[in-house]
Structure formats: structure tokens, C-alpha cells
Amino acid sequence: MRNIGGLNLVGVFALSVIGSIVPGGGVAFAQAVTNPNLEDGSSTISGAGYRVNPGDQLEISVWREDGLQREVMVLPDGTISFPLVGVIRAAGKTTAIIEQEITAGLANYFVDATVPDVTVTVVSTSGLQFSVIGKVQSPGIFTPGRNVTLLEALSFSGGVTEFASLSNVVVVRKSGESLTVIPVNLSKVLRSRSVSVEEVSALPMIRSGDTIIVP
């Protein structure tokens, strides 16, 4: 088994967080199974990219255009304003999509519609808020201030209780007026004696408005 200094980032994350999620930290992990096709430290636990929420702070810059550098907050209605472009609906979109929309809005103001690189960065995810209910130590509503994974979200609630049904965890996600129920089986990840990158990477990233139910 490789020493911890050489473990893949996801494997290290899983080992460090799971002890705080499983009651008493009583699960002994013999190994972390890493993905040999990824360089050490290069993997991330990813889902779809982070989607902007009302209340988030964004930094927007256009290369070599000092007059088009802005730090803006996403308003409660989900919009932002940017010079020459006007109002943009940002909530629910990734930064890459917002960059594309700003680029398209600036096209008429540059020769041959060649817009310098537009960069949108999430400075603060203060708009991200989720709930955890059911058999956890401290149910509640949490505002982490950053993007979090399902495992991290459970750690915010103090971890699951002894009799939690880990194979039947669900994430209830709001999409406009509709709800989507995402079933998640955490039993293998939290009860197994080994954790693989693939199993942890398959877990959903948490979006604003999500409710995690641990039966």
C-alpha cells in the first residue's frame, strides 16, 4: 500500500471525511484504491460544473480591457449587469456559459467581432444553501460558502446516526417548479474497507436548494 503522501486526492479526501460521517469513526479502511490513469493530486470530485446562485459574488474580466473589469453580486432574481451587454441571467448557469453570453454581447463593440478572452470567476458561493434531514447528528440548513460534495454536506450535519439506512439516501433537487429525486447508495462508500476513486467521483455534487434525506 502506498503511503499517504502518494495517495490520489480523492482517496485522501474520502479517508479523511468518512471517519467524521460514520458514527464513532468505527470503520477501519485498509486501503484507498486509486485510479492509475490519473496523476497524483490531479483528480477532482466533479459533477456538472458549479452553477451560479443568487447571492454569489462573481469577478468578470476582459483581457486587456481595464474598463471591463467588474466584481458583481448575483441579484435575488438571478441576474447580473455588465457594461455594454446589459442584464444577464446568471443563476443556474456555469461560469463557462456566462463567459459565452458576455462574449456574444460584446461582439458588436470589437473589430471583426473578435472579443478578447472573457473570464468569469466565482469569488464567493454565499448563495449556495442546502438542507440535511433524517438520521443525522445535526439536521439543518447549511450555507458552506463554497461548492461541496455529498460527503462534505453530510459532514456539515455531524454525520449519520448509527441506524441510518445508507443504501437509501436521496437528494431532492429543485429545478424551477419541478423536483427531481436522486437516489444515492452510500453503503459501499461508507461501510467498505476500501474506497475507489470511481465510487466517490460518482456521488453527486450539491447544488443550491438541494435537500439530502437520510432515512
Side-chain angles (χ1 to χ4, degrees):
M1 182 173 66
R2 303 166 63 187
N3 62 40
I4 195 165
L7 286 176
N8 183 281
L9 179 61
V10 174
V12 173
F13 166 77
L15 287 174
S16 62
V17 173
I18 288 172
S20 68
I21 295 178
V22 178
V27 178
F29 289 89
Q31 61 179 334
V33 181
T34 61
N35 186 339
N37 297 319
L38 296 174
E39 295 181 1
D40 290 345
S42 66
S43 67
T44 56
I45 303 173
S46 60
Y50 176 75
R51 295 182 181 274
V52 170
N53 301 291
D56 285 354
Q57 196 82 11
L58 306 180
E59 183 177 69
I60 306 173
S61 62
V62 181
W63 190 59
R64 289 187 175 179
E65 295 291 339
D66 293 341
L68 294 176
Q69 318 298 316
R70 291 287 188 279
E71 190 164 308
V72 299
M73 178 177 288
V74 183
L75 299 177
D77 64 359
T79 64
I80 59 173
S81 293
F82 193 72
L84 303 180
V85 179
V87 176
I88 301 170
R89 178 160 295 280
K93 298 176 180 176
T94 64
T95 55
I97 293 174
I98 298 172
E99 289 171 353
Q100 293 170 6
E101 293 186 0
I102 293 175
T103 299
L106 292 174
N108 292 333
Y109 299 94
F110 289 85
V111 177
D112 297 328
T114 303
V115 181
D117 288 342
V118 176
T119 302
V120 178
T121 304
V122 180
V123 177
S124 170
T125 58
S126 56
L128 176 62
Q129 186 177 85
F130 63 89
S131 303
V132 184
I133 62 176
K135 293 178 181 176
V136 293
Q137 303 293 341
S138 301
I141 299 173
F142 304 93
T143 305
R146 59 183 175 84
N147 204 16
V148 296
T149 66
L150 175 58
L151 293 180
E152 288 178 303
L154 289 176
S155 71
F156 273 89
S157 69
V160 300
T161 63
E162 182 179 358
F163 299 106
S165 178
L166 296 179
S167 60
N168 296 304
V169 174
V170 297
V171 177
V172 178
R173 176 161 295 164
K174 291 188 291 186
S175 301
E177 297 299 320
S178 63
L179 294 176
T180 301
V181 176
I182 305 171
V184 183
N185 186 347
L186 288 177
S187 181
K188 190 172 183 180
V189 174
L190 297 184
R191 306 286 193 196
S192 175
R193 298 185 66 85
S194 65
V195 179
S196 73
V197 171
E198 290 77 13
E199 290 166 347
V200 177
S201 298
L203 299 177
M205 295 294 291
I206 298 304
R207 297 183 186 177
S208 190
D210 282 358
T211 299
I212 303 163
I213 303 175
V214 182

